[in-house]
Amino acid sequence: MQKIDKQFVCRQFRRAAASYDRQATIQHRVADRLLELLVPYVKSEPLRVLEIGCCTGLLTGKLLQSDIKVGSLLLNDLMPDFAERLPHDLAVDELSFLPGDIEKLSLSGSFDLIISSSTFHWLHDLERTLVKLLVALRPGGILAFSLYGPGNLPEIKELTGVGLDYLPLSAIVSMLKHRYILEEQHQEKEIFLFPGPREVLNHLRQTGVNAINRRPWTRQELQTFCREYKKRFYMDRSVRLTYHPLYFIARRSL
């Protein structure tokens, strides 16, 4: 299994920060879908919430504008400087920022809701993190997260051999069912169309999704990639790029 270099991931997302919200179409859709699935399971009273991997606040803003009442919100991200990139108009009574790697951080207190979107596929040990988060939830508390599955960006992996070792839905369900009450599990396929292969590469770079490709390409390699991409993934006068989001809503038992 490929070991993720989180510092490299940090640098790639930092470079993409200025364009992230504008280009992160799939991340917007996934965050909306996650909240849609979550709303029926949360209490109507103000919640103490932890968001993991807040990035530039894409999910944060949607959460605070949803029907979910947030009393206090602790935002976490691997990159400390992302605290400065969060929207300035976040409407919540108590807001704080916890920088660092969620796999290494100590979590104090307990939460009614722990939420994360498009982040957990970057973890080294998802199962261990799920155990850690269970302890951080109050009895009856909710863990809601989305990440990406094995059918994510297959076009890129087929041509370059580069890609994350995504976990299948069944493996994550197994991890959750041992410890949580699993309320929701879903997987979907999202196909995006681009004018050409170069636009696909620009899209990945501007959202930080290319954060595992460390080696720059030669001109010849780029030309070969573009030619083969158009040949294999041509669709409706465009080229396709496939995302495979997974969604989970789980509850700590009372």
Side-chain angles (χ1 to χ4, degrees), residues 143-162:
L143 170 65
F145 64 96
S146 64
L147 71 174
Y148 298 93
N152 203 52
L153 308 179
E155 298 88 357
I156 303 300
K157 193 162 190 175
E158 180 178 323
L159 287 181
T160 67
V162 175

Side-chain angles (χ1 to χ4, degrees), residues 100-160:
D101 185 347
I102 194 62
E103 294 189 272
K104 297 178 180 177
L105 288 172
S106 296
L107 296 174
S108 60
S110 56
F111 300 92
D112 302 300
L113 170 65
I114 298 177
I115 189 168
S116 180
S117 188
S118 300
T119 297
F120 280 7
H121 49 280
W122 296 112
L123 299 177
H124 289 160
D125 191 335
L126 175 61
E127 186 163 22
R128 188 172 177 180
T129 303
L130 294 177
V131 173
K132 178 178 183 176
L133 298 181
L134 179 66
V135 175
L137 280 171
R138 289 177 176 168
I142 296 286
L143 170 65
F145 64 96
S146 64
L147 71 174
Y148 298 93
N152 203 52
L153 308 179
E155 298 88 357
I156 303 300
K157 193 162 190 175
E158 180 178 323
L159 287 181
T160 67

Side-chain angles (χ1 to χ4, degrees), residues 17-188:
S19 58
Y20 184 84
D21 285 356
R22 189 174 61 254
Q23 294 294 331
T25 309
I26 182 65
Q27 290 83 356
H28 276 285
R29 288 190 190 180
V30 169
D32 287 337
R33 178 70 170 134
L34 180 65
L35 290 172
E36 177 185 304
L37 292 169
L38 170 63
V39 166
Y41 295 97
V42 295
K43 298 177 181 176
S44 57
E45 60 197 50
L47 305 178
R48 186 176 187 209
V49 180
L50 165 64
E51 182 189 339
I52 298 169
C54 65
C55 196
T56 56
L58 185 153
L59 172 64
T60 313
K62 294 176 183 292
L63 172 66
L64 294 176
Q65 292 171 10
S66 74
D67 292 334
I68 298 169
K69 295 180 181 177
V70 179
S72 68
L73 179 58
L74 175 60
L75 298 174
N76 157 261
D77 200 276
L78 187 58
M79 290 171 282
D81 48 329
F82 265 24
E84 300 172 3
R85 292 187 174 274
L86 291 168
H88 298 297
D89 58 349
L90 296 175
V92 61
D93 291 341
E94 295 179 35
L95 180 66
S96 53
F97 188 79
L98 177 66
D101 185 347
I102 194 62
E103 294 189 272
K104 297 178 180 177
L105 288 172
S106 296
L107 296 174
S108 60
S110 56
F111 300 92
D112 302 300
L113 170 65
I114 298 177
I115 189 168
S116 180
S117 188
S118 300
T119 297
F120 280 7
H121 49 280
W122 296 112
L123 299 177
H124 289 160
D125 191 335
L126 175 61
E127 186 163 22
R128 188 172 177 180
T129 303
L130 294 177
V131 173
K132 178 178 183 176
L133 298 181
L134 179 66
V135 175
L137 280 171
R138 289 177 176 168
I142 296 286
L143 170 65
F145 64 96
S146 64
L147 71 174
Y148 298 93
N152 203 52
L153 308 179
E155 298 88 357
I156 303 300
K157 193 162 190 175
E158 180 178 323
L159 287 181
T160 67
V162 175
L164 293 179
D165 295 308
Y166 297 101
L167 292 169
L169 181 95
S170 58
I172 300 173
V173 166
S174 179
M175 292 178 191
L176 289 167
K177 279 189 170 179
H178 281 93
R179 302 167 180 93
Y180 293 82
I181 300 168
L182 185 56
E183 303 282 11
E184 298 276 355
Q185 50 170 304
H186 294 277
Q187 58 181 330
E188 296 170 356

